[in-house]
Amino acid sequence: QQQVKQSPQSLIVQKGGISIINCAYENTAFDYFPWYQQFPGKGPALLIAIRPDVSEKKEGRFTISFNKSAKQFSLHIMDSQPGDSATYFCAASNGNQFYFGTGTSLTVIP
Amino acid sequence: DSGVTQTPKHLITATGQRVTLRCSPRSGDLSVYWYQQSLDQGLQFLIHYYNGEERAKGNILERFSAQQFPDLHSELNLSSLELGDSALYFCASSVQGSGANVLTFGAGSRLTVL
């Protein structure tokens, strides 16, 4: 049973465009929602995270939008760059356990 | 370099065998998490240890076991290996055992079962 559902599986965006990745969860005990970025041959690394008491968090070109009532959250990458090409994982945590989505492979075309 | 060290980087073995994967957490981190990454399942949570004690278990098979030692390094033991156990195994560490933890991942151990 997948605790966090992520879509799309893959995404191709032109340089300068907006990349949007969506995630949904069911367990209302989750209280922390990070996004991780993974480059080939590397482990995932924290990109940005949000708590459910805010609806949006922005760090540079990366923004998390959070909808608590819908139990959904999304990552928006503005002005996407070729260097953003990577696999992105959303996650949800209740503190002791971190559950990850299945990942989105993003390709930004120059 | 994330500061989390995983060994070995690559491992090829046969079905029915047993292997041990090792993880040294980042200096100062007390928590260790183990994940299995396969192409179709993403990152599957296996188990979490905090300061030597098991904190949470995920989808860890009975053939798998783990422990965290007094020096905080952790080992994941995989036995009676099957073809389907072929995957990338990640270890992550964090300072805390709960809350809004930042997980720092190692580079992974790639296991191939033939």
Side-chain angles (χ1 to χ4, degrees), chain B residues 39-53:
Chain B
L39 281 175
D40 58 343
Q41 293 291 321
L43 284 162
Q44 294 291 309
F45 170 65
L46 295 178
I47 199 162
H48 168 208
Y49 279 87
Y50 175 75
N51 204 18
E53 293 189 4

Side-chain angles (χ1 to χ4, degrees), chain B residues 12-71:
Chain B
I12 301 174
T13 188
T15 55
Q17 296 297 306
R18 172 189 168 97
V19 298
T20 297
L21 309 180
R22 181 187 168 103
C23 170
S24 293
R26 206 174 50 150
S27 178
D29 287 359
L30 299 179
S31 268
V32 170
Y33 301 77
W34 284 98
Y35 285 88
Q36 179 191 58
Q37 185 177 36
S38 54
L39 281 175
D40 58 343
Q41 293 291 321
L43 284 162
Q44 294 291 309
F45 170 65
L46 295 178
I47 199 162
H48 168 208
Y49 279 87
Y50 175 75
N51 204 18
E53 293 189 4
E54 181 184 303
R55 272 292 177 93
K57 252 184 182 179
N59 300 321
I60 188 166
L61 300 171
E62 286 192 11
R63 300 183 286 107
F64 295 1
S65 65
Q67 55 183 329
Q68 185 179 29
F69 294 86
D71 67 352

Side-chain angles (χ1 to χ4, degrees), chain A residues 58-94:
Chain A
K58 184 176 180 180
E59 289 185 3
R61 296 183 294 109
F62 301 91
T63 300
I64 301 178
S65 295
F66 189 86
N67 186 330
K68 188 174 181 179
S69 60
K71 289 186 281 187
Q72 295 175 350
F73 57 112
S74 60
L75 176 69
H76 295 236
I77 305 175
M78 310 300 288
D79 186 26
S80 298
Q81 299 296 313
D84 297 331
S85 297
T87 300
Y88 293 81
F89 292 95
C90 61
S93 173
N94 58 7

Side-chain angles (χ1 to χ4, degrees), chain A residues 3-84:
Chain A
Q3 295 269 357
V4 180
K5 296 181 180 176
Q6 183 173 346
S7 64
Q9 188 174 351
S10 62
L11 184 60
I12 300 175
V13 173
Q14 293 277 352
K15 178 183 174 181
I18 301 173
S19 303
I20 302 174
I21 304 170
N22 301 301
C23 286
Y25 65 98
E26 285 299 325
N27 190 341
T28 54
F30 292 142
D31 60 1
Y32 178 60
F33 301 87
W35 284 87
Y36 280 77
Q37 180 188 53
Q38 183 180 27
F39 292 104
K42 303 286 188 183
L46 179 67
L47 185 64
I48 186 173
I50 196 168
R51 288 279 213 182
D53 52 348
V54 298
S55 60
E56 187 176 281
K57 183 172 181 181
K58 184 176 180 180
E59 289 185 3
R61 296 183 294 109
F62 301 91
T63 300
I64 301 178
S65 295
F66 189 86
N67 186 330
K68 188 174 181 179
S69 60
K71 289 186 281 187
Q72 295 175 350
F73 57 112
S74 60
L75 176 69
H76 295 236
I77 305 175
M78 310 300 288
D79 186 26
S80 298
Q81 299 296 313
D84 297 331

